[in-house]
Amino acid sequence: MSTSTPVGSADRPLRVAVIGSGPAGVYAADILTKSEAVKSGELTVSIDLFDRYPAPYGLIRYGVAPDHPRIKGIVNALHKVLDRGDIRFFGNVDYGTDLSIEDLRKHYDAIIFATGAIKDADLNIPGIELEGSFGGADFVSWFDGHPDVSREWPLEATEIAVLGNGNVALDVARVLSKHADDLLVTEIPDNVYAGLKASPVTDVHVFGRRGPAQVKFTPLELRELSHSKDVDIILYAEDFEFDEASDEAIQSNNQVKTMVGTLTNWIAEQPEDLSELKASRRLHLHFLHSPVEIVDSPETPGKVAGIKFERTELDGTGNARGTGEFIDYPVQAVYRAIGYFGSALPDVEFDHKKGVVTNDGGRVLDADGQHVPGLYATGWIKRGPVGLIGHTKGDALETVTYLLEDRENLPFAEVPSADAMVELLDSRGVQFTSWEGWLALDAHELALGAAATEAGTSHGVEVKRERIKVVPREEMVSISRDGVAAQV
């Protein structure tokens, strides 16, 4: 690129927009600011982080169960990055609505898409459309207080099936089976507490297609199940099958060994007579079940009344095959938690089979497979919704490395002034929020928790509520913007 002032100099920093402020976006911005080129003074950068929601953190705020044991540590790490002041945050700004690709190209030399994946992967079996059949991601959005979903959730079932053997499936099952009062120590919104408190659930069944050695959740997530009060965990001996690949995984992978050990210990300690279990709720873990059909009944036409599975067996490679044996379970709700799927972005080539932006190592490609100069992707929108949050760091490093390699040939932003983006959003009436606004909203949510704790204590209820999450988008924006205005 040719400019009168070298791009990347003190007078003209390299302008980068990151779309998405979850772990993927924050890690990418952080890695770029800490790159050797920047640390050595060879390059200066100016980074703006955009999010469609008024608050930052993406998946951590709206896609992880509030009682997840590591959520606070991740939030603290992201907070430290954004609180340094060298990365600017624009919340409540929706790419494709408030800003177009042309707007971004005009103001930035490079754009990194880190929009993640928020939709449920499809499960094409008969009955999936019945009332009482839900996507696990939708349920997570509800109990995490997502601003764009309904405040209500139909928790009417006493027996529930959760399909999937990943961390999201365990999050869904744990929240469904846990007593609402035990979630008060988290940041759940009041409407979520009220909904869970009224739930009549007695039994939650989690089903996996393969065996105990092939589960995709983590040891920490598994052990968290046993911490739920007044909830018995039930396993079934016929589900404990191990083939050659299972044995090899147990011997070579400490994580698999730990999880299989935990599961086998649980079933060994389980009484033969299940009537000896006295908890008011039960969480059943099933393996070697492949869903075939969600069924209704003449008494409840159009509503979930049960689910049919084919029993499976391991084939020696760790994969499962059908046995021809079928089994039915009476349930009144089914939650599929078999994975997330990315959403297409306006004016960016998208792979609809994989649910990712078409890319090569993070370089966004066009329909002909050629790199689009200045466009990049990272996180789940780059590689699909697989792996843990920690894997996102390596992913971001790859993308940022390519961006830095390309920096001499990036398209030149016509209007690189930092103030120009603020002026553009103001001119369009976009009620954007800032990092300072998030600090105001954060303080407000903490104050709500403190007030609830004090009120509970005055009524003899000793439950410390650290925070209560604000749900309505308008309220989030108002608190954020008013908080900043008050400081000024």
Side-chain angles (χ1 to χ4, degrees):
M1 55 192 170
S2 176
T3 67
S4 57
T5 302
V7 173
S9 67
D11 293 329
R12 171 59 168 91
L14 180 72
R15 292 277 287 148
V16 179
V18 180
I19 314 302
S21 69
V26 176
Y27 290 154
D30 186 41
I31 289 170
L32 182 54
T33 63
K34 293 178 179 177
S35 64
E36 189 58 38
V38 173
K39 288 195 298 183
S40 67
E42 174 190 348
L43 176 72
T44 61
V45 293
S46 172
I47 303 173
D48 287 344
L49 194 65
F50 294 89
D51 203 290
R52 63 181 299 192
Y53 307 122
Y57 307 145
L59 170 72
I60 300 303
R61 184 171 169 94
Y62 295 122
V64 179
D67 62 342
H68 193 286
R70 284 191 290 202
I71 187 171
K72 289 182 181 177
I74 298 171
V75 166
N76 289 340
L78 300 180
H79 178 98
K80 287 179 181 178
V81 173
L82 296 180
D83 202 43
R84 293 195 312 247
D86 56 348
I87 299 167
R88 192 166 56 164
F89 174 71
F90 287 92
N92 202 42
V93 179
D94 186 25
Y95 167 72
T97 303
D98 300 315
L99 291 175
S100 67
I101 192 71
E102 290 79 11
D103 295 325
L104 293 173
R105 282 195 168 285
K106 185 176 181 179
H107 293 81
Y108 300 93
D109 307 302
I111 304 158
I112 302 175
F113 292 101
T115 51
I118 59 173
K119 295 193 305 181
D120 282 285
D122 291 333
L123 178 62
N124 295 316
I125 61 172
I128 196 69
E129 77 291 343
L130 291 174
E131 182 181 341
S133 172
F134 306 106
D138 292 335
F139 182 59
V140 172
S141 292
W142 175 75
F143 68 61
D144 269 337
H146 194 294
D148 296 336
V149 302
S150 171
R151 302 282 76 79
E152 307 298 323
W153 190 273
L155 290 163
E156 303 163 352
T158 58
E159 300 160 297
I160 299 171
V162 179
L163 310 180
N165 259 179
N167 282 342
V168 175
L170 289 196
D171 277 353
V172 169
R174 192 176 65 253
V175 171
L176 284 168
S177 60
K178 206 166 189 174
H179 290 277
D181 286 350
D182 294 329
L183 287 166
L184 280 174
V185 295
T186 74
E187 60 184 28
I188 62 168
D190 289 335
N191 67 292
V192 174
Y193 169 73
L196 293 172
K197 181 74 172 177
S199 171
V201 66
T202 59
D203 293 82
V204 177
H205 299 261
V206 182
F207 295 94
R209 190 173 56 86
R210 297 188 290 171
Q214 286 77 41
V215 295
K216 295 299 183 183
F217 38 75
T218 59
L220 184 64
E221 197 84 17
L222 178 62
R223 287 194 297 268
E224 190 67 18
L225 293 182
S226 64
H227 297 161
S228 295
K229 299 176 184 177
D230 192 33
V231 179
D232 282 325
I233 298 174
I234 299 177
L235 300 103
Y236 299 87
E238 62 269 24
D239 292 345
F240 281 72
E241 178 182 312
F242 302 95
D243 61 359
E244 293 177 9
S246 301
D247 293 336
E248 182 179 340
I250 293 169
Q251 294 171 15
S252 62
N253 188 308
N254 286 332
Q255 179 165 299
V256 174
K257 181 179 180 180
T258 299
M259 287 189 292
V260 170
T262 298
L263 291 167
T264 52
N265 285 340
W266 284 353
I267 196 169
E269 296 167 358
Q270 184 174 290
E272 290 187 17
D273 183 358
L274 295 182
S275 66
E276 295 179 17
L277 299 173
K278 300 302 182 182
S280 65
R281 293 180 178 179
R282 291 159 293 280
L283 179 56
H284 308 255
L285 300 181
H286 304 268
F287 307 103
L288 303 173
H289 283 69
S290 181
V292 174
E293 181 183 6
I294 302 173
V295 298
D296 58 3
S297 71
E299 292 77 23
T300 59
K303 293 185 176 181
V304 172
I307 184 168
K308 179 189 292 291
F309 291 91
E310 181 178 11
R311 292 285 301 184
T312 61
E313 62 183 7
L314 300 178
D315 64 2
T317 69
N319 291 311
R321 61 193 173 201
T323 64
E325 176 189 352
F326 296 89
I327 184 169
D328 294 284
Y329 291 86
V331 298
Q332 301 82 49
V334 175
Y335 290 75
R336 68 183 186 279
I338 57 173
Y340 284 80
F341 201 78
S343 302
L345 299 172
D347 302 310
V348 181
E349 196 66 25
F350 193 76
D351 186 328
H352 291 274
K353 290 184 178 180
K354 297 180 180 178
V356 299
V357 166
T358 308
N359 73 94
D360 180 13
R363 287 182 171 120
V364 173
L365 306 178
D366 62 19
D368 296 323
Q370 300 299 310
H371 176 216
V372 182
L375 296 192
Y376 301 87
T378 191
W380 280 3
I381 202 64
K382 166 189 172 182
R383 59 183 166 86
V386 293
L388 303 176
I389 291 172
H391 296 153
T392 306
K393 288 186 178 179
D395 201 40
L397 177 60
E398 179 185 48
T399 295
V400 170
T401 298
Y402 280 133
L403 187 158
L404 291 172
E405 286 181 6
D406 299 339
R407 67 181 184 271
E408 297 299 329
N409 297 304
L410 293 174
F412 176 57
E414 297 176 26
V415 187
S417 166
D419 293 337
M421 179 50 61
V422 175
E423 294 168 0
L424 177 64
L425 292 173
D426 280 339
S427 71
R428 293 179 177 177
V430 179
Q431 297 291 295
F432 65 89
T433 60
S434 63
W435 178 247
E436 293 73 22
W438 159 246
L439 295 178
L441 177 58
D442 183 38
H444 179 82
E445 292 184 344
L446 291 170
L448 291 177
T453 300
E454 184 178 350
T457 301
S458 66
H459 289 85
V461 180
E462 297 294 334
V463 176
K464 181 181 179 181
R465 300 204 66 184
E466 185 173 343
R467 74 161 64 230
I468 298 176
K469 189 180 288 183
V470 173
V471 180
R473 179 184 288 267
E474 297 79 9
E475 187 177 350
M476 293 173 67
V477 172
S478 175
I479 293 168
S480 299
R481 291 176 65 90
D482 289 350
V484 174
Q487 294 173 21
V488 174

